[in-house]
Amino acid sequence: MIAASSHPTLNRQKTAKSERNSFSAYNSKYLTVPQNRTSFHSSRINGAFEAPSCLESFSSSIINNYLDGTQEGAVDKVSPSGMHFRDSKRKVDYVLAYHYRKRLARHPPGVGSPELMHRSASLALVSNGGTEKGCAETQQQESGRRVQHEQPGPPGVEVIELSPLDALEEEKRLQREEYERNLLEAGLEIEKDPENKTQGLSFVRIHAPWQVLSREAELLKIKMPTKKMYEITEEGGILKTLNEIWCKLTEPLQPQVPQQENNNMKSLSYPFSREKIYLYNIKDKDTFFDNATRSRIVREILKRTTTKARDSMGIGTLIANNVYDAAYPLHDGEYEGQNDDMNERKLLYREWARYGVFYKFQPINLIRKYFGEKIGLYFAWLGLYTEFLIPASVVGIIVFLYGCITIESDIPSKEMCDQRNAFTMCPLCDKFCDYWNLSSACATARASHLFDNPATVFFSIFMALWATMFLEHWKRLQMRLSYFWDLTGLEEEEGMVMEHSRPEYETKLLQKKLKHKTITTENSDEKLTWSDRMPGYAANFGLILFMIMLTFSAVFGVIVYRITTAAALSFSTNETTRSNVRVTVTATAVIINLVVILILDEIYGAVAKWLTEIEVPKTEKTFEERLIMKAFLLKFVNSYAPIFYVAFFKGRFVGRPGHYVYVFDGYRMEECAPGGCLMELCIQLSIIMLGKQLIQNNLFEIGIPKLKKLFRKLKDERTEPKEMDTNQSKDPQQWDLDYILEPFTGLTPEYMEMIIQFGFVTLFVASFPLAPLFALLNNIIEVRLDAKKFVTELRRPDTVRAKDIGIWYNILSGIGKLSVIINAFVIAVTSDFIPRLMYQYAYSQNGTMHGFINHTLSYFNVSHLKAGTQPENSPFAQDVLFCRFKDYREPPWSQNQYEFSKQYWAVLSARLAFVILFQNLVMFLSVLVDWMIPDIPKDISEQIKKEKSVLVDFFLKEEHEKLKLIESIITRDKQNHKSGTKGERIRAASFCQFNRSQKGSFASFSSQHTEV
């Protein structure tokens, strides 16, 4: 048996262990720098390696094109377009940005005079692995800066005292170096700026070579065009003629963007495969994958590349931990300027992202190409929604004009305005309010008729069918875009690619494994269970309930404001103030409601995001869906709660004279206006809708990004010292320009504001027929506003493939069905449509509306008023025996005085019957429309079948041609060389290998036998 002390390996292990124990006290305060350590990494840099002798004593990793800031011409040698590496050949596919801060002085313990000992900025390893300065000179300079000190620590290690801030910065630097080494191992190529200043901003530019692009495209199952093209069969007959006429009429409205040369031909697309590379139409490997696809591939690599640091699960975690500030693909250049260089960004700006082209159609295909399918689908949906608002607006205007035209012939309005009728109404408040004449509310009654007329019922039915038609046409357009954008079968082809787990989920899972000490077990199926998420679910339930109650509390607070303000203004000695109490209270209360809604909207958005994060969803898709549902629930309740109150609750719990309902001991519940609550509902809806659109959707969208950009710029200028950066070129590069733009945070806010608007247009449209018109005017601006924001104010988003708009369609469908029920109740309960109908056909003596006002007013004996509630100093007190109030109750001379009359129950039954009839009729018509309009257009269905058939034929033909070519070569070899079977197999194998080579020689053979 060998003693441990005599065994060299055990000695080293024991010594290392003791050194670690003795040195552990320094870890939080001191940095250990191993002396004479070779930090050479085995990454390939353009096929060249650095000699080990030249890399000793350096603690920096090899980074592709890590240029020397002191090199001659380094400043001027920049990419002319700002889109390439400094060699002007390799394209920048992605950019990582970070702020760095150097250690100006590092104090070894016990040393009074600090030495300047930071990493030399002049160390620059270029593509071939060499440096501008000689190795010996650099080593001499570095060794001259180092000072060895006798300290209790591992031998050969320099101990450097670090402040907590320096220690954190050093940890970030090491994580960045490790991450970038791992990116190199993944095959990416990197160009990095030298850090010439004490602190500042630096960029890491990433390029994906062909080998990486082809490998990842195959892994991600990305569909790419093949050499085969086939003809698209168009519908014939009258539809084709109408389509041609429409195209000619709308030619001035078409954006001037490049179109496919032959619109009747389509390339056959197939998931990329390196083994079948001869199938694809590869004219140039640098342009075969467009910029959006290249950046998407690089993003996937960034997301799955990790570091050894705990909880590091990819670029998302590194950005969250401030190791990097941002990661983004580059825009295609500047969007405006006098130069003639046209790029897709500039084209989008000229033909889409300007208010001056509001009348033009959107270039949806170019939007999809530049921003990806998910954003393309959003703008396609927004465009279709805006187009569908045009007929809804026209019908709404007609309904409004019908109300204006028939206002003079409306008998109930005439009766109410006729002063000869002299309907003496009961006081509106106790003590301080006098009896009043109904004719004083003439203006309110006439205004109510504009929205409360028989045409409103027709418009409600029309809008319910309109919502169904819109959703059906969107499904058809979605299928058409899926076909032309090669999104059909997306789940089968790309769904097999496992979606990355979110870094937060992986972190939570790692903590669970560490807690249960199962980190070493090979259990890849382990996941977070419902019990792990129970605290998050409990917090979600409790906080969402609290937020909903907060919304109801805000609505109740406004109700209290209305009641108390109305009472206070009634005490005024000014006659004008007392006469305008209702108008003043209504207007100010609606404005307060609007302000509360805007404030709570911002709060609820942040709360919904935080609640979703503590739920720890596994994937980004699940996270987004849960976030959308929470945000929609909270914002839906917040936006519509005041409107629901006015529509269905206001004036329902008032009581009657002599027996009013009071709140806060003395304040009566508020009543509806004499003309009904529909006019007030219209005012409430219009102000909230227009206020949200003007302030939140437009001013906030324009102003907040500009304020954020200004704040970030001022912050950078304040934190960065004014030093001359020798690496900075005279003109800012594209990565500099894109960095100062606002980061893209997702489409949820864009969809949310449109979904809430869709609710305003459909849910209460019976009370406000002009809602579609105002929505249309807003959306004409909104399309260009969103376009300008995406093109000019946001960093370029990562392209995301999606075949539909996801959960938003389900929300739209739900709102459409809910609108039928709500509009039925608005017509039946809020408006006077049913009471008028009942009076005309059941109670009127001559079948007309004459006497309707008198029929709806009940009598009250003023002597039955409670003591202390009678009007004080009333000049009419002696003359008034009975006052009138709006309700169906028995008169005071009846045995059941002031009880609900038979008319009340008859009208109530008619209202409920109308709700049931209206709901079932509209639902039936909606289902009928849904059934009549197929989800998939007939021509698209046939084209999809044809594409599958062409794909099979194309593969069979290519394989047949390939087999014939191989057989002909083998036969020729037999005749020329007369070799044995073994030689034939060797040559056949060499030919197959030759076929897979990157030179593409066999691809040229194959292309001669391919029908293009």
Side-chain angles (χ1 to χ4, degrees):
M1 185 174 183
I2 303 173
S5 60
S6 64
H7 198 286
T9 304
L10 295 178
N11 273 339
R12 283 196 299 271
Q13 292 175 354
K14 184 175 181 181
T15 302
K17 183 177 181 181
S18 63
E19 288 172 350
R20 284 196 301 270
N21 293 335
S22 64
F23 198 63
S24 60
Y26 291 86
N27 287 343
S28 60
K29 191 175 181 182
Y30 303 108
L31 170 68
T32 61
V33 181
Q35 303 300 304
N36 299 325
R37 179 174 65 87
T38 300
S39 62
F40 170 73
H41 197 274
S42 59
S43 302
R44 186 183 77 254
I45 315 286
N46 287 352
F49 294 90
E50 179 66 30
S53 60
C54 293
L55 285 170
E56 292 181 358
S57 75
F58 295 110
S59 60
S60 64
S61 60
I62 297 178
I63 306 295
N64 232 5
N65 282 14
Y66 184 19
L67 293 180
D68 185 357
T70 61
Q71 279 182 248
E72 285 188 24
V75 175
D76 297 327
K77 190 180 178 183
V78 294
S79 171
S81 64
M83 300 292 299
H84 295 79
F85 278 12
R86 294 182 188 267
D87 59 9
S88 299
K89 295 179 180 178
R90 287 173 291 176
K91 189 179 296 183
V92 177
D93 296 318
Y94 224 86
V95 173
L96 306 179
Y98 65 91
H99 279 88
Y100 63 89
R101 176 180 176 274
K102 292 185 178 180
R103 298 182 304 279
L104 292 177
R106 305 194 297 187
H107 300 262
V111 178
S113 58
E115 295 287 340
L116 184 65
M117 296 184 64
H118 59 82
R119 216 166 36 127
S120 174
S122 64
L123 170 62
L125 301 174
V126 288
S127 297
N128 59 5
T131 59
E132 179 73 13
K133 300 179 182 180
C135 297
E137 181 185 350
T138 309
Q139 287 178 357
Q140 185 178 358
Q141 290 178 356
E142 288 294 313
S143 61
R145 290 176 182 154
R146 301 204 171 184
V147 182
Q148 297 288 342
H149 301 277
E150 294 294 333
Q151 295 297 333
V157 173
E158 179 187 359
V159 182
I160 302 169
E161 183 178 4
L162 294 178
S163 66
L165 191 60
D166 283 338
L168 180 62
E169 189 63 35
E170 186 67 21
E171 182 182 354
K172 291 180 183 178
R173 183 184 65 80
L174 294 175
Q175 284 192 55
R176 284 195 294 267
E177 289 184 355
E178 182 187 356
Y179 186 71
E180 288 157 15
R181 285 198 301 268
N182 293 340
L183 292 180
L184 289 171
E185 286 185 351
L188 298 176
E189 296 176 3
I190 291 176
E191 179 182 78
K192 188 174 180 180
D193 293 331
E195 300 171 0
N196 288 334
K197 298 194 292 185
T198 306
Q199 62 182 31
L201 178 66
S202 187
F203 296 95
V204 179
R205 295 173 289 280
I206 301 174
H207 169 77
W210 169 259
Q211 293 84 351
V212 175
L213 293 173
S214 57
R215 180 192 72 208
E216 296 297 322
E218 183 174 4
L219 180 65
L220 297 173
K221 311 282 190 215
I222 297 177
K223 275 188 172 183
M224 300 303 296
T226 63
K227 298 173 183 176
K228 177 65 177 178
M229 298 188 74
Y230 66 96
E231 186 178 1
I232 299 174
T233 305
E234 295 184 351
E235 291 184 343
I238 189 171
L239 290 177
K240 183 178 180 180
T241 306
L242 291 174
N243 186 48
E244 291 176 352
I245 296 173
W246 174 253
C247 290
K248 289 182 179 179
L249 291 175
T250 59
E251 188 173 354
L253 307 180
Q254 298 295 336
Q256 301 299 316
V257 296
Q259 300 289 341
Q260 187 178 341
E261 294 181 0
N262 191 348
N263 291 326
N264 294 329
M265 301 297 292
K266 182 179 184 295
S267 294
L268 185 67
S269 296
Y270 186 73
F272 189 80
S273 172
R274 287 175 291 179
E275 291 186 355
K276 297 181 174 60
I277 198 170
Y278 55 89
L279 298 177
Y280 302 95
N281 188 18
I282 305 177
K283 298 178 181 178
D284 185 356
K285 289 183 178 180
D286 291 335
T287 58
F288 179 66
F289 295 104
D290 59 19
N291 292 344
T293 306
R294 295 174 70 98
S295 62
R296 177 191 169 202
I297 288 173
V298 175
R299 180 72 181 189
E300 288 295 324
I301 298 175
L302 294 176
K303 286 166 67 175
R304 69 168 183 256
T305 303
T306 61
T307 62
K308 293 180 181 178
R310 178 179 291 187
D311 303 343
S312 176
M313 305 297 173
I315 189 62
T317 309
L318 294 176
I319 292 176
N321 294 335
N322 295 320
V323 177
Y324 289 102
D325 290 345
Y328 52 90
L330 292 180
H331 278 292
D332 281 2
E334 297 184 11
Y335 61 88
E336 58 183 357
Q338 301 300 324
N339 57 344
D340 296 331
D341 296 335
M342 180 59 67
N343 56 63
E344 291 180 350
R345 187 188 187 192
K346 184 179 292 187
L347 193 59
L348 283 171
Y349 178 73
R350 288 185 179 180
E351 297 295 328
W352 178 54
R354 293 188 300 116
Y355 296 112
V357 292
F358 72 93
Y359 60 91
K360 289 189 176 183
F361 291 115
Q362 299 184 90
I364 292 296
N365 290 322
L366 185 59
I367 297 169
R368 169 252 178 177
K369 182 182 177 184
Y370 192 80
F371 292 109
E373 286 77 7
K374 191 171 185 178
I375 294 176
L377 284 173
Y378 163 71
F379 281 105
W381 174 85
L382 181 58
L384 182 69
Y385 171 48
T386 304
E387 290 174 13
F388 258 73
L389 284 173
I390 296 175
S393 301
V394 171
V395 177
I397 292 172
I398 293 173
V399 170
F400 178 75
L401 292 177
Y402 171 82
C404 295
I405 294 170
T406 58
I407 192 170
E408 297 298 334
S409 60
D410 183 50
I411 296 175
S413 299
K414 286 183 177 181
E415 289 184 350
M416 188 177 292
C417 295
D418 190 357
Q419 296 183 0
R420 293 173 298 177
N421 288 328
F423 294 111
T424 303
M425 307 298 293
C426 296
L428 295 174
C429 64
D430 295 343
K431 295 175 66 174
F432 298 99
C433 296
D434 201 356
Y435 303 104
W436 57 286
N437 199 312
L438 185 61
S439 61
S440 63
C442 174
T444 306
R446 291 172 65 87
S448 297
H449 178 74
L450 297 176
F451 307 101
D452 190 0
N453 56 67
T456 304
V457 181
F458 159 75
F459 191 55
S460 299
I461 298 174
F462 170 80
M463 288 304 295
L465 298 179
W466 172 88
T468 305
M469 291 277 290
F470 165 62
L471 294 177
E472 288 302 311
H473 274 78
W474 167 245
K475 284 193 288 187
R476 290 170 61 85
L477 177 61
Q478 193 170 251
M479 280 305 303
R480 189 173 295 277
L481 293 176
S482 295
Y483 166 70
F484 284 105
W485 292 355
D486 297 319
L487 298 174
T488 53
L490 189 64
E491 290 87 352
E492 293 80 3
E493 293 158 2
E494 297 190 7
M496 295 183 292
V497 181
M498 187 65 67
E499 188 175 358
H500 295 291
S501 298
R502 298 177 63 247
E504 293 82 358
Y505 178 86
E506 295 290 349
T507 302
K508 189 79 173 177
L509 186 61
L510 181 61
Q511 292 173 354
K512 177 184 177 181
K513 290 179 179 179
L514 290 172
K515 183 178 179 181
H516 297 90
K517 298 180 180 179
T518 59
I519 191 69
T520 57
T521 58
E522 295 295 333
N523 186 11
S524 58
D525 295 333
E526 188 170 359
K527 58 183 181 180
L528 296 180
T529 60
W530 67 269
S531 58
D532 299 319
R533 293 192 173 99
M534 184 53 67
Y537 290 152
N540 269 264
F541 178 78
L543 270 175
I544 289 176
L545 192 61
F546 171 77
M547 291 296 172
I548 293 175
M549 295 306 297
L550 178 64
T551 301
F552 291 159
S553 301
V555 173
F556 183 72
V558 175
I559 295 171
V560 172
Y561 162 80
R562 295 161 68 113
I563 294 172
T564 55
T565 305
L569 293 177
S570 299
F571 300 159
S572 176
T573 56
N574 190 327
E575 180 64 28
T576 307
T577 303
R578 288 201 307 271
S579 61
N580 294 315
V581 167
R582 194 179 296 276
V583 176
T584 305
V585 170
T586 300
T588 55
V590 172
I591 294 173
I592 293 173
N593 267 325
L594 175 61
V595 173
V596 170
I597 287 172
L598 294 177
I599 293 173
L600 289 182
D601 256 1
E602 300 302 316
I603 296 174
Y604 287 167
V607 169
K609 185 176 182 181
W610 180 75
L611 288 175
T612 311
E613 287 173 349
I614 64 175
E615 268 190 36
V616 199
K618 184 175 181 180
T619 62
E620 288 293 341
K621 182 179 180 181
T622 310
F623 177 88
E624 186 180 26
E625 288 180 351
R626 294 186 182 182
L627 172 62
I628 289 169
M629 288 305 299
K630 290 181 184 63
F632 173 73
L633 174 63
L634 293 174
K635 293 189 176 186
F636 180 88
V637 173
N638 182 42
S639 298
Y640 298 118
I643 301 172
F644 268 92
Y645 164 73
V646 174
F648 304 122
F649 297 100
K650 185 179 179 180
R652 312 292 169 196
F653 311 102
V654 178
R656 61 171 176 81
H659 196 270
Y660 284 114
V661 177
Y662 290 90
V663 292
F664 300 120
D665 191 26
Y667 293 103
R668 277 164 46 177
M669 284 293 292
E670 57 179 346
E671 304 178 42
C672 289
C677 276
L678 196 69
M679 186 62 198
E680 190 170 341
L681 175 61
C682 173
I683 295 172
Q684 184 100 1
L685 181 67
S686 59
I687 291 180
I688 291 178
M689 177 183 176
L690 296 177
K692 276 180 66 70
Q693 290 185 164
L694 178 64
I695 299 173
Q696 193 175 46
N697 296 4
N698 293 320
L699 294 182
F700 281 11
E701 280 196 34
I702 295 172
I704 289 180
K706 292 186 181 298
L707 289 176
K708 286 183 177 180
K709 183 179 178 180
L710 178 63
F711 176 77
R712 191 165 55 247
K713 182 179 179 181
L714 293 175
K715 182 181 177 182
D716 289 342
E717 290 178 354
R718 187 174 64 252
T719 55
E720 291 188 17
K722 300 295 182 181
E723 299 180 32
M724 183 64 67
D725 190 353
T726 58
N727 183 64
Q728 187 69 32
S729 60
K730 295 179 181 179
D731 297 325
Q733 296 295 297
Q734 191 62 47
W735 46 85
D736 298 304
L737 298 173
D738 285 4
Y739 177 76
I740 62 177
L741 299 178
E742 190 71 16
F744 175 68
T745 56
L747 287 170
T748 300
E750 315 300 334
Y751 272 113
M752 188 66 71
E753 63 188 46
M754 288 295 104
I755 296 296
I756 296 296
Q757 184 201 84
F758 183 79
F760 282 122
V761 168
T762 56
L763 291 179
F764 296 94
V765 74
S767 64
F768 189 39
L770 295 179
L773 174 64
F774 288 111
L776 173 64
L777 297 176
N778 173 80
N779 286 11
I780 291 174
I781 301 173
E782 180 71 22
V783 171
R784 306 303 162 178
L785 179 63
D786 283 348
K788 188 174 182 180
K789 182 171 66 174
F790 273 84
V791 173
T792 67
E793 297 177 3
L794 294 179
R795 293 174 191 160
R796 187 171 185 172
D798 294 301
T799 57
V800 179
R801 286 175 72 82
K803 66 176 298 182
D804 52 39
I805 60 174
I807 197 172
W808 294 112
Y809 179 83
N810 299 329
I811 294 175
L812 285 167
S813 180
I815 290 177
K817 291 179 173 61
L818 183 62
S819 69
V820 177
I821 301 171
I822 290 179
N823 280 304
F825 276 99
V826 167
I827 295 170
V829 177
T830 311
S831 75
D832 282 340
F833 177 74
I834 298 300
R836 292 186 183 195
L837 213 60
M838 284 290 295
Y839 176 79
Q840 185 174 1
Y841 293 103
Y843 299 108
S844 176
Q845 295 179 356
N846 53 10
T848 64
M849 292 301 295
H850 290 284
F852 173 73
I853 297 298
N854 185 57
H855 177 76
T856 58
L857 297 177
S858 299
Y859 286 91
F860 182 77
N861 192 334
V862 296
S863 62
H864 294 165
L865 288 172
K866 289 183 179 180
T869 62
Q870 299 93 340
E872 294 182 351
N873 304 320
S874 172
F876 311 105
Q878 303 299 326
D879 302 329
V880 176
L881 298 177
F882 297 98
C883 65
R884 310 292 294 272
F885 64 99
K886 189 175 182 179
D887 207 346
Y888 291 102
R889 291 183 181 267
E890 297 289 345
W893 52 83
S894 172
Q895 294 182 349
N896 302 318
Q897 60 180 4
Y898 307 134
E899 295 292 329
F900 287 118
S901 63
K902 293 180 181 179
Q903 288 92 336
Y904 171 82
W905 299 110
V907 170
L908 181 62
S909 301
R911 282 173 166 167
L912 295 177
F914 175 81
V915 169
I916 295 172
L917 179 65
F918 182 90
Q919 176 184 337
N920 285 280
L921 173 64
V922 175
M923 287 291 187
F924 169 75
L925 293 176
S926 299
V927 171
L928 184 64
V929 170
D930 189 359
W931 174 75
M932 291 176 62
I933 302 176
D935 293 346
I936 304 177
K938 184 178 179 181
D939 60 325
I940 296 299
S941 178
E942 293 176 354
Q943 293 299 331
I944 292 174
K945 294 177 183 177
K946 179 179 179 180
E947 186 177 59
K948 292 179 179 179
S949 175
V950 171
L951 184 64
V952 173
D953 294 341
F954 176 59
F955 268 94
L956 290 176
K957 183 176 181 180
E958 287 293 334
E959 293 298 326
H960 180 67
E961 295 290 343
K962 179 180 174 183
L963 184 61
K964 285 175 61 178
L965 187 59
I966 293 175
E967 289 177 350
S968 64
I969 293 176
I970 292 175
T971 304
R972 187 176 58 196
D973 285 352
K974 282 183 179 180
Q975 294 174 353
N976 294 340
H977 304 285
K978 298 181 180 180
S979 57
T981 307
K982 184 176 181 181
E984 294 170 8
R985 290 177 180 172
I986 291 174
R987 278 190 295 275
S990 66
F991 174 80
C992 293
Q993 183 177 4
F994 175 70
N995 173 41
R996 295 188 180 95
S997 68
Q998 297 174 358
K999 300 298 183 181
S1001 300
F1002 181 71
S1004 63
F1005 279 111
S1006 175
S1007 62
Q1008 298 173 6
H1009 302 276
T1010 304
E1011 180 185 353
V1012 180

